[in-house]
Amino acid sequence: MSTRKRYWLMKSEPDAFSIDDLQKVGVEPWNGVRNYQARNFMRDGMQVGDGVLFYHSNCAVPGIAGLARVASKAYPDETQFDRKSDYFDPKASREEPRWMLVDVAFERKFDRVVALEEIRRHTDALGEGFALTSKGTRLSVMPVTAAQWKLLLSLE
DNA sequence: GCCAACGTTGGC
DNA sequence: GCCAACGTTGGC
């Protein structure tokens, strides 16, 4: 059984892990997500080959920095078991992991960042429900519709 | 560095 | 199960 390709937006702080870092390593486990909604999107929604908008957050020019793709099915985030990790979760166990992730593969870096400021100018076209531009949402992993994907790519 | 908005925790 | 307190996110 296969389903149509889906689209996503994933946020990362470039100081911690940027599109350039992804380009260097090629594939990266998307660890450290500690929000249930974001986890559920990775665990229940993502399929290998899905498109990913790589978003730089908490930086001088927040915005979409490039494209990636989902490169694995969901599996447990190793950092939850690691006492030395910032992402260690004492309530997680190998028998009952709490946090899941997918691998993300580099696709392409944009020639320029499509800034949040610019994306906001298209709030109406993107729709009220779009988590990136809707007020007060801090989701770090969110679904993107085919129409939103097309529009956002056209801004590059 | 500020702070609004939000999610999570834990006492009751 | 409520909800105040606390911690985090992330734009500005």
Side-chain angles (χ1 to χ4, degrees):
Chain A
M1 190 193 85
S2 83
T3 320
R4 285 189 73 184
K5 179 175 173 178
R6 295 171 186 165
Y7 302 99
W8 308 94
L9 182 145
M10 300 174 90
K11 294 180 185 174
S12 184
E13 300 194 9
D15 286 351
F17 191 79
S18 69
I19 189 78
D20 295 312
D21 294 321
L22 185 61
Q23 182 162 26
K24 265 176 237 157
V25 297
V27 181
E28 177 77 2
W30 203 262
N31 59 34
V33 170
R34 294 294 180 269
N35 169 281
Y36 291 106
Q37 217 182 335
R39 177 203 67 184
N40 294 348
F41 285 132
M42 290 198 285
R43 187 188 61 188
D44 307 328
M46 288 190 181
Q47 306 166 262
V48 173
D50 283 358
V52 174
L53 298 165
F54 194 111
Y55 181 90
H56 281 175
S57 66
N58 201 17
C59 55
V61 184
I64 300 164
L67 297 182
R69 66 178 182 280
V70 175
S72 79
K73 291 195 286 187
Y75 63 95
D77 181 341
E78 272 300 311
T79 62
Q80 74 193 296
F81 309 124
D82 179 1
R83 290 187 175 281
K84 283 175 239 150
S85 170
D86 288 343
Y87 302 125
F88 175 68
D89 183 345
K91 291 179 181 159
S93 67
R94 294 206 177 263
E95 295 70 36
E96 281 186 79
R98 271 195 174 193
W99 305 109
M100 306 289 279
L101 54 69
V102 297
D103 290 342
V104 171
F106 178 79
E107 198 108 302
R108 173 162 84 77
K109 182 183 174 177
F110 284 177
D111 291 333
R112 63 181 195 88
V113 171
V114 175
L116 178 62
E117 186 195 17
E118 191 179 346
I119 294 168
R120 282 198 197 285
R121 290 185 213 133
H122 303 273
T123 300
D124 286 349
L126 288 164
E128 294 299 310
F130 190 45
L132 188 70
T133 45
S134 68
K135 187 186 133 205
T137 313
R138 298 171 316 181
L139 255 189
S140 65
V141 176
M142 69 189 73
V144 174
T145 66
Q148 289 163 345
W149 175 270
K150 195 177 167 191
L151 190 152
L152 292 167
L153 284 190
S154 76
L155 303 179
E156 186 190 354

